[in-house]
């Protein structure tokens, strides 16, 4: 039980008392706070000690499915194939490359990296295992190869706070080039072979400045290309597929505008491409003598696509008009083709258009070819592809299909599977069934639910245990993809489901708009409706229903636990955003100001009382709650560790049941938990052992 220190907060005549405000320590060094976190961790270890053999068994299962020595599908860049290698027993990857054997020949879907005794030797550019030896936490978030394939710039984080150091090394000799760039983000691009463009953050960790760095010079003399002073906006950076331009975007939750930098002459600085217009969201790419602009507005809420000549950036032509039922998610340009990643009826898809020759006018697109997939529900992801080729690379998976990489010839329509992640331990995808169901929300909206289970274990009579995941914020799409760790539940007879609630982007832009600001409660009632539907249709019972969400999904879990604690047997909330009102009232907390367009600004009375009505910490009350496991990361800059710590402390004090409540704070990690691949499996094993124990299935 945490001590109580009364802290009063008053606004609009409303008095709130937070007895655990003292747990917030921005320096993360207060001995009393750290001692409390150690005590919580010790209590969790003690409480789980009785089923340590089960936790170890689940961990062994998960690790046993991993092909520990493996490589990713090699990607061709100029004369080289680049890939990442994992080694048996090692936590981290090696970044490698190998010369191609068919240099100069047109790219084909049948191309493969040469291997064997007569193949060019493998060159290990960087071994993260060596770099990580001196650190509790280690991750590389950007690994950018220079246009001439001689240098690489990589961004490393050794705390988990997402404040990066960028190193440039010569790939052959592995020797440093110049001094590291310190205190930067992982947003990083080459501007030719002699310069880098990167971004830095302000004191509230908002990316607010973009810089040009010439190799061999001091960081102190780097030129600031743009400073975004509006605290509602953050900067982003991307390279065009053609590699001729860099695009700097400044974006809030509703507005985005774009500058471009000519890579051939970076000293000329940024030029405005799309102006700042409230409520207009634009993103840009380039091919030939045209910029291609994806544009969203209130009228074109699912986006339209425009072409704009380089020599007349005020003249735009709509080439793919807005469609109310089809959302343009993203585009990918090639020298002869345009690939559009779309969404319709809750599922992603890929549509490919042939473009006129470079130099010709770009007219309205007709006759696109849409790819077909075999699973009823699935997920797709873009991949780097060679701009000058006709080969599209993309990632595919479903809840029963491991991550797979395909090369697709956009001229012939031939598709070649380049790599499917190996899953050991006797895994057979045909033993699992995936399906989509639709729950009805209180306002009549149909909520999609993605489901997977092992067909010879599940009875579908209400007696099966079920694990339900939810998120529902930031227009994020939690598409039905392969969760290797979940096999330890599925093979124990669990049903695994994802509720695609409003606030996410699965059903288009309006799906997001109807789950934010003053409609945020739809996220929670959609999740409850999904859970009730699964009980009603005998996928499970209340006594067998377990739920999970992370970050903003942890807010979802906190809210539904307060609203309907009787509906769930167990809950897991990872790095949960549960102190919504206090956090949103404090603009000194990282990321708060940019979040006002997502949650609302509680300095306005209407938003204050609406947010208070669902904020999990503010709505804990004397009632029975299910068994709960909550996790946090001490160095998390997205959701401060103190939010879940306070939530647990108050819950322990107020709740009326004897169900277990556990809190695990990783003292050497941030928002995305531990950095090693086996370390992350330990966290999954803890979570699943907690669930299995709670359901008395040990």
């Amino acid at each position: 039980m945490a001590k109580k220190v009364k802290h009063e907060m008053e606004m609009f005549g409303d008095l709130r008392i937070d007895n655990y405000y003292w747990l917030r320590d921005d320096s993360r060094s207060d001995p009393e706070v750290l001692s409390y976190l150690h005590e919580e961790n010790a209590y969790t270890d003690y409480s789980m000690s009785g089923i340590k053999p089960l936790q170890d068994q689940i961990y062994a299962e998960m690790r046993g499915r991993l092909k520990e020595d493996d490589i990713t599908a090699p990607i061709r860049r100029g004369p080289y194939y680049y890939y990442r290698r994992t080694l048996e027993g090692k936590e981290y990857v090696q970044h490698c490359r190998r010369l191609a054997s068919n240099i100069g020949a047109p790219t084909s879907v049948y191309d493969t990296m040469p291997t064997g005794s007569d193949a060019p030797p493998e060159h290990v550019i960087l071994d993260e295992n060596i770099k990580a030896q001196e650190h509790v936490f280690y991750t590389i978030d950007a690994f950018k190869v220079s246009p001439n394939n001689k240098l690489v710039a990589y961004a490393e984080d050794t705390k988990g706070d997402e404040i990066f150091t960028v190193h440039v090394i010569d790939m052959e000799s592995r020797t440093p080039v110049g001094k590291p760039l310190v205190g930067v983000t992982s947003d990083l691009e080459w501007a030719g072979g002699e310069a880098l463009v990167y971004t830095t953050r302000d004191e509230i960790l908002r990316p607010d400045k973009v810089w040009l760095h010439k190799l061999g010079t001091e960081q102190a003399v780097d030129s600031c290309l743009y400073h975004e002073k509006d605290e509602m906006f953050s900067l982003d950076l991307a390279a065009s597929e053609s590699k001729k331009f860099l695009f700097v975007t400044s974006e809030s939750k509703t507005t985005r505008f774009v500058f471009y930098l000519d890579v051939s002459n970076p000293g000329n600085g940024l030029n405005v491409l799309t102006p700042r217009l409230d409520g207009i969201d634009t993103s840009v790419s380039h091919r030939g003598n045209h910029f291609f602009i994806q544009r969203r507005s209130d009228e074109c809420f699912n986006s339209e696509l425009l072409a704009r000549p380089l020599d007349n950036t005020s003249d735009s032509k709509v080439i793919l008009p807005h469609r109310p039922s089809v959302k343009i998610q993203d585009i990918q340009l090639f020298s002869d083709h345009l690939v559009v990643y779309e969404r319709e009826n809750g599922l992603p898809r890929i549509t490919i258009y042939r473009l006129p020759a470079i130099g010709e006018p770009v007219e309205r697109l007709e006759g696109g070819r849409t790819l077909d997939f075999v699973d009823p529900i699935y997920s797709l992801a873009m991949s780097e592809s060679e701009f000058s080729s006709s080969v599209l690379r993309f990632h595919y998976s479903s809840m029963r299909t491991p991550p797979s990489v395909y090369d697709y010839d956009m001229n012939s329509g031939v598709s070649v599977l380049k790599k499917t992640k190996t899953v050991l331990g006797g895994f057979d995808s045909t033993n699992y069934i995936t399906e989509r169901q639709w729950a009805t929300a209180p306002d009549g909206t149909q909520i999609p639910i993605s489901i997977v289970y092992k067909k010879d274990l599940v009875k579908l009579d209400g007696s099966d245990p079920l694990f339900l995941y939810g998120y529902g914020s930031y227009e994020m799409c939690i598409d039905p993809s392969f969760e290797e760790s979940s096999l330890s539940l599925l093979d124990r007879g669990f049903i695994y489901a994802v509720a695609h609630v409003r606030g996410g982007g699965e059903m288009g832009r309006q799906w997001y708009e109807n789950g934010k600001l003053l409609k945020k409660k739809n996220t929670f009632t959609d999740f409850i409706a999904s859970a009730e539907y699964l009980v009603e249709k005998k996928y499970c019972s209340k006594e067998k229903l377990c739920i999970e969400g992370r970050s903003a999904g942890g807010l979802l879990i906190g809210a539904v636990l307060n609203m309907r604690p009787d509906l769930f047997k167990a809950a897991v909330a990872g790095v949960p955003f549960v102190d919504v009102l206090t956090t949103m009232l404090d603009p000194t907390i990282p990321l708060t100001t940019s979040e006002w367009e997502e949650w609302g600004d509680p300095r306005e009375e209407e938003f204050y009382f609406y947010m208070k009505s669902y904020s999990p910490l503010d709505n804990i009350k004397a009632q029975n709650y299910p068994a709960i496991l909550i996790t946090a990361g001490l160095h998390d800059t997205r959701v401060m560790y103190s939010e879940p710590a306070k939530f647990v402390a108050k819950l322990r004090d107020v709740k009326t049941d004897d169900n277990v409540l556990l809190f695990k704070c990783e003292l050497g990690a941030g928002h995305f938990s531990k950095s090693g691949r086996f370390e992350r499996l330990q966290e999954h094993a803890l979570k699943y052992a907690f669930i299995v124990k709670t359901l008395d299935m040990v």
Side-chain angles (χ1 to χ4, degrees):
M1 300 295 290
K3 73 172 185 179
K4 294 181 181 180
V5 179
K6 191 174 183 180
H7 179 82
E8 294 185 349
M9 298 170 285
E10 185 173 354
M11 198 162 190
F12 303 118
D14 178 58
L15 178 66
R16 291 185 303 135
I17 297 173
D18 183 350
N19 291 318
Y20 306 102
Y21 193 86
W22 66 272
L23 281 168
R24 175 183 166 184
D25 169 35
D26 292 4
S27 73
R28 294 161 173 83
S29 61
D30 184 305
E32 187 177 19
V33 172
L34 291 175
S35 175
Y36 173 77
L37 296 177
H38 279 290
E39 288 174 11
E40 283 284 7
N41 286 345
Y43 176 65
T44 296
D45 292 342
Y46 168 76
S47 299
M48 296 293 288
S49 61
I51 56 163
K52 189 68 165 64
L54 171 66
Q55 191 175 330
D56 292 342
Q57 178 189 344
I58 293 175
Y59 172 76
E61 291 168 9
M62 293 177 179
R63 186 158 176 174
R65 295 188 199 102
L66 287 181
K67 187 176 187 300
E68 293 192 16
D69 55 333
D70 204 358
I71 69 168
T72 57
I75 187 84
R76 181 76 176 266
R77 296 189 191 115
Y80 293 97
Y81 282 101
Y82 289 84
Y83 54 97
R84 295 185 305 278
R85 177 181 292 283
T86 52
L87 303 173
E88 188 169 351
K90 298 291 187 181
E91 290 275 10
Y92 299 94
V93 302
Q94 294 178 329
H95 299 264
C96 308
R97 74 175 180 182
R98 192 189 296 261
L99 266 172
S101 56
N102 59 341
I103 298 172
T107 303
S108 165
V109 291
Y110 300 110
D111 288 346
T112 56
M113 182 177 71
T115 55
S117 57
D118 58 344
E122 174 178 272
H123 174 63
V124 179
I125 304 164
L126 182 73
D127 189 337
E128 291 188 19
N129 296 289
I130 296 172
K131 301 282 289 181
Q133 285 176 353
E134 302 167 17
H135 307 285
V136 175
F137 180 97
Y138 188 83
T139 187
I140 287 179
D141 206 47
F143 190 85
K144 301 284 186 175
V145 174
S146 65
N148 59 11
N149 287 280
K150 291 183 178 179
L151 308 175
V152 67
Y154 65 93
E156 69 175 15
D157 173 9
T158 58
K159 282 180 67 178
D161 58 5
E162 299 180 68
I163 298 173
F164 291 86
T165 299
V166 170
H167 302 267
V168 180
I169 60 171
D170 180 286
M171 280 199 276
E172 285 298 327
S173 66
R174 304 190 189 95
T175 55
V177 177
K179 294 180 181 177
L181 304 173
V182 298
V184 303
T185 76
S186 61
D187 232 359
L188 177 72
E189 295 291 350
W190 286 94
E194 303 293 330
L196 290 167
V197 176
Y198 64 93
T199 60
T200 57
R201 303 177 192 263
D202 63 11
E203 62 278 0
I204 59 169
L205 303 186
R206 176 183 63 95
D208 70 323
K209 291 178 181 172
V210 59
W211 302 84
L212 177 66
H213 172 73
K214 295 179 180 176
L215 296 187
T217 65
E218 296 287 331
Q219 186 176 356
V221 301
D222 290 351
S223 56
C224 182
L225 298 175
Y226 180 68
H227 179 197
E228 178 53 78
K229 298 178 181 178
D230 189 330
E231 291 190 340
M232 301 286 279
F233 284 75
S234 299
L235 298 181
D236 200 1
L237 182 63
S240 67
E241 294 92 337
S242 67
K243 306 303 182 191
K244 294 184 183 299
F245 294 96
L246 296 184
F247 299 111
V248 175
T249 61
S250 181
E251 60 181 334
S252 71
K253 293 289 187 292
T254 61
T255 304
R256 178 161 50 181
F257 57 102
V258 183
F259 304 89
Y260 68 93
L261 179 79
D262 187 340
V263 169
S264 65
N265 199 348
N268 280 355
L270 299 181
N271 299 283
V272 175
L273 180 54
T274 58
R276 176 171 174 162
L277 298 170
D278 189 45
I280 305 296
D281 182 314
T282 55
S283 54
V284 183
S285 194
H286 163 261
R287 167 199 177 260
N289 57 334
H290 286 88
F291 290 118
F292 286 68
I293 301 171
Q294 187 179 325
R295 182 180 185 273
R296 183 193 57 75
S297 63
D298 289 345
E299 299 78 28
C300 300
F301 50 84
N302 274 335
S303 298
E304 58 186 350
L305 189 60
L306 299 82
R308 180 177 294 180
L310 266 64
D311 58 4
N312 186 4
T313 54
S314 61
D315 178 29
S316 297
K317 180 179 292 184
V318 175
I319 58 172
L320 191 60
H322 174 255
R323 293 157 292 171
S325 64
V326 180
K327 178 186 175 184
I328 299 175
Q329 191 96 7
D330 223 324
I331 67 166
Q332 193 169 7
L333 277 168
F334 293 79
S335 54
D336 296 321
H337 295 89
L338 167 69
V339 179
V340 183
Y341 286 80
E342 303 173 319
R343 306 189 68 84
E344 186 171 26
N345 205 28
L347 284 177
R349 71 184 186 201
I350 296 173
T351 302
I352 298 166
Y353 298 90
R354 175 171 283 280
L355 293 171
I358 288 177
E360 297 291 321
V362 179
E363 305 293 343
R364 181 168 291 205
L365 299 171
E366 304 287 350
R369 175 194 290 169
T370 299
L371 277 61
D372 295 317
F373 302 101
V374 295
D375 290 296
I377 51 174
Y378 55 86
S379 66
L380 296 171
M382 293 175 63
S383 174
E384 179 184 343
S385 304
E386 283 199 285
F387 175 75
S388 60
S389 78
S390 63
V391 177
L392 167 70
R393 171 163 290 192
F394 63 88
H395 297 266
Y396 173 88
S397 83
S398 77
M399 296 177 95
R400 66 178 180 189
T401 307
S404 305
V405 179
Y406 285 89
D407 279 355
Y408 178 81
D409 190 308
M410 294 181 284
N411 289 328
S412 67
V414 171
S415 181
V416 175
L417 176 64
K418 308 303 285 189
K419 172 95 178 168
T420 295
K421 184 175 182 180
T422 302
V423 181
L424 304 176
F427 171 76
D428 181 351
S429 64
T430 62
N431 291 331
Y432 302 85
I433 291 174
T434 63
E435 60 184 60
R436 172 147 287 174
Q437 294 289 331
W438 298 82
T440 303
D443 63 1
T445 302
Q446 295 293 292
I447 312 301
I449 309 171
S450 297
I451 297 171
V452 63
Y453 53 86
K454 196 169 186 178
K455 59 187 177 185
D456 61 348
L457 288 182
V458 167
K459 297 176 284 296
L460 298 178
D461 61 359
S463 66
D464 302 305
L466 188 143
F467 190 82
L468 178 63
Y469 186 88
Y471 187 76
S473 291
Y474 301 115
E475 207 175 356
M476 290 275 291
C477 300
I478 309 298
D479 284 324
S481 58
F482 191 74
E483 292 288 340
E484 193 172 308
S485 63
S486 71
L487 292 173
S488 286
L489 292 183
L490 297 177
D491 292 351
R492 284 177 168 80
F494 274 78
I495 297 169
Y496 188 95
V498 178
H500 304 285
V501 295
R502 280 174 285 184
E506 291 93 335
M507 298 283 284
R509 177 73 182 189
Q510 287 182 315
W511 199 249
Y512 165 57
E513 297 284 358
N514 288 325
K516 63 183 286 200
L517 299 175
L518 297 173
K519 298 179 180 178
K520 186 63 205 170
K521 288 183 186 177
N522 284 337
T523 303
F524 317 135
T525 52
D526 286 358
F527 190 83
I528 290 169
S530 299
E532 289 176 329
Y533 175 88
L534 293 166
V535 171
E536 177 195 346
K537 296 299 181 183
K538 298 193 180 304
Y539 284 92
C540 65
S541 64
K542 292 181 183 180
E543 292 71 35
K544 296 285 186 76
L545 178 53
C546 309
I547 57 175
E548 184 193 16
R550 284 184 55 83
S551 194
L555 159 63
L556 163 63
I557 299 302
V560 301
L561 284 175
N562 286 328
M563 294 165 72
R564 286 294 307 278
D566 62 298
L567 188 53
F568 313 108
K569 180 67 174 178
V572 179
V575 292
F577 175 42
V578 283
D579 194 11
V580 181
L581 193 52
T582 302
T583 294
M584 287 293 103
L585 280 168
D586 187 349
T588 69
I589 293 178
L591 308 179
T592 292
T593 53
S594 62
E595 299 286 293
W596 285 331
E597 289 180 342
E598 176 79 21
W599 311 101
D601 184 348
R603 297 174 303 178
E604 299 175 23
E605 187 170 356
E606 183 180 23
F607 284 112
Y608 174 92
F609 284 105
Y610 186 78
M611 293 164 76
K612 186 188 176 188
S613 72
Y614 70 75
S615 175
L617 185 68
D618 291 289
N619 286 279
I620 293 171
K621 51 182 174 281
Q623 60 182 353
N624 288 350
Y625 285 84
I628 300 171
L629 169 65
I630 291 179
T631 66
L634 182 62
H635 298 290
D636 193 341
T637 56
R638 295 173 183 245
V639 178
M640 288 182 63
Y641 76 90
S642 52
E643 292 198 35
K646 292 195 295 180
F647 185 73
V648 169
K650 184 175 180 180
L651 202 52
R652 277 230 179 85
D653 181 52
V654 172
K655 74 190 186 84
T656 55
D657 61 85
D658 295 323
N659 293 324
V660 67
L661 170 60
L662 302 180
F663 180 46
K664 179 78 169 178
C665 182
E666 293 296 346
L667 302 177
H671 193 67
F672 300 103
S673 71
K674 292 183 176 181
S675 53
R677 58 177 176 152
F678 304 135
E679 291 176 322
R680 284 194 292 271
L681 293 183
Q682 292 280 13
E683 295 192 7
H684 285 300
L686 171 69
K687 172 176 67 179
Y688 291 154
F690 168 78
I691 293 294
V692 172
K693 176 192 177 187
T694 303
L695 293 183
D696 201 21
M697 294 174 61
V698 178

